Amino acid sequence: MRFLEGVNSTFSMEATLRFKHLIATALALAGILFSGVALAEKSEERVVKEAIALFRAYGVMHPKVARNSVRRCFYSARWRWGSIPEGYSRKFFGIRALAGLAAENPSGFYEVMKIFDPEGLQPDALCTEEEDKEKLEEWREVFENKTKSLDKREIEDSPYSPYFVRIEYTFPVFDTRFRKAAFIENVVVRQFRRWPDGRVTPLPLELTHTVVIFEKRNDVWREIERGILGQT
């Protein structure tokens, strides 16, 4: 009996030790997991913070600069895919690969709305491609009928409509220390013409494709170079 009691006691102690070990392991793994999540979230928050500051330094929808509402559909609600050309990547980021730098297609924290308008003050300034097409068609009808548009621009008695501008950006590429950044700006300008017989037709698109380089000095992003990559 004493032998069995001793055996049972040993098994009980081993079971208790195993249970404590499992609990400790689980807590350790949970600590590592949550630590990793916290670090990832912190990293995302830094990227968001720097991206907001970068585009505001560039003048995109800064609430203290753009006091008047930005025209509807002026900016794309989705990031454009593109890469920083090899020459600029080598010059400013020091890469040696025979390719340019490109940010991954961002989502979640990196949505355009969260970067350009985190306060949610001007949601109509951002449109998807489908919404932009609807707005452009509306603008054509306004010009054709010589009425006022929803953004209250006057339609003059002219054979040419006012310009209808849409701007798209790539998500910025940052260096590891957040001291340099670059993005691509794509500006699309549309215009209509009214012919003597009353017909209204679109003119050829005017496109400008530009790379913009920024550097952070005294904790402030400043544009240091830009280059036209393509233009029509």
Side-chain angles (χ1 to χ4, degrees):
M1 289 292 293
R2 289 180 181 177
F3 172 75
L4 291 176
E5 288 177 0
V7 170
N8 290 335
S9 177
T10 300
F11 278 131
S12 178
M13 289 180 62
E14 289 180 352
T16 301
L17 288 173
R18 282 199 300 270
F19 178 74
K20 289 182 177 180
H21 175 73
L22 289 172
I23 292 296
T25 302
L27 290 174
L29 290 174
I32 293 171
L33 175 62
F34 287 118
S35 175
V37 170
L39 288 174
E41 289 181 349
K42 186 175 182 180
S43 176
E44 286 183 328
E45 289 171 1
R46 177 69 187 275
V47 172
V48 169
K49 176 184 175 182
E50 297 293 351
I52 291 173
L54 179 69
F55 280 111
R56 289 193 168 177
Y58 193 58
V60 176
M61 295 181 68
H62 195 306
K64 294 182 180 178
V65 177
R67 296 181 183 277
N68 297 322
S69 179
V70 178
R71 184 183 59 74
R72 185 178 170 211
C73 292
F74 192 73
Y75 294 109
S76 172
R78 294 169 183 158
W79 297 111
R80 179 185 177 87
W81 187 91
S83 61
I84 308 305
E86 178 192 340
Y88 289 92
S89 298
R90 286 173 174 267
K91 180 178 179 181
F92 294 101
F93 295 89
I95 68 167
R96 295 292 181 266
L98 296 177
L101 292 170
E104 294 181 4
N105 186 23
S107 61
F109 271 2
Y110 308 129
E111 290 176 4
V112 177
M113 177 70 75
K114 294 181 179 180
I115 304 300
F116 284 9
D117 189 26
E119 298 87 1
L121 301 177
Q122 303 182 69
D124 290 340
L126 301 163
C127 284
T128 63
E129 187 175 347
E130 294 76 17
E131 292 169 332
D132 176 71
K133 288 179 180 178
E134 292 176 3
K135 176 63 178 175
L136 184 62
E137 177 59 22
E138 174 191 288
W139 184 229
R140 186 196 66 76
E141 292 176 359
V142 164
F143 177 65
E144 188 174 28
N145 298 324
K146 299 182 181 180
T147 59
K148 290 184 178 180
S149 67
L150 293 181
D151 56 15
K152 300 180 181 179
R153 283 191 287 178
E154 295 287 345
I155 301 299
E156 300 177 356
D157 188 13
S158 166
Y160 297 99
S161 73
Y163 292 116
F164 191 84
V165 181
R166 176 178 174 81
I167 305 179
E168 304 169 317
Y169 292 96
T170 63
F171 192 77
V173 172
F174 295 99
D175 69 351
T176 56
R177 297 188 303 160
F178 290 98
R179 289 291 179 268
K180 286 188 174 66
F183 56 81
I184 302 294
E185 177 184 64
N186 193 57
V187 179
V188 184
V189 179
R190 285 75 58 88
Q191 193 176 26
F192 295 100
R193 177 176 179 178
R194 182 188 297 112
W195 299 90
D197 62 2
R199 290 182 302 115
V200 171
T201 59
L203 294 176
L205 297 178
E206 296 181 27
L207 303 172
T208 305
H209 199 52
T210 307
V211 59
V212 186
I213 311 295
F214 269 76
E215 184 177 55
K216 184 183 281 188
R217 300 173 184 170
N218 299 322
D219 208 35
V220 176
W221 286 108
R222 304 178 190 278
E223 182 182 332
I224 58 173
E225 188 164 332
R226 64 170 43 228
I228 303 295
L229 304 178
Q231 193 169 26
T232 62

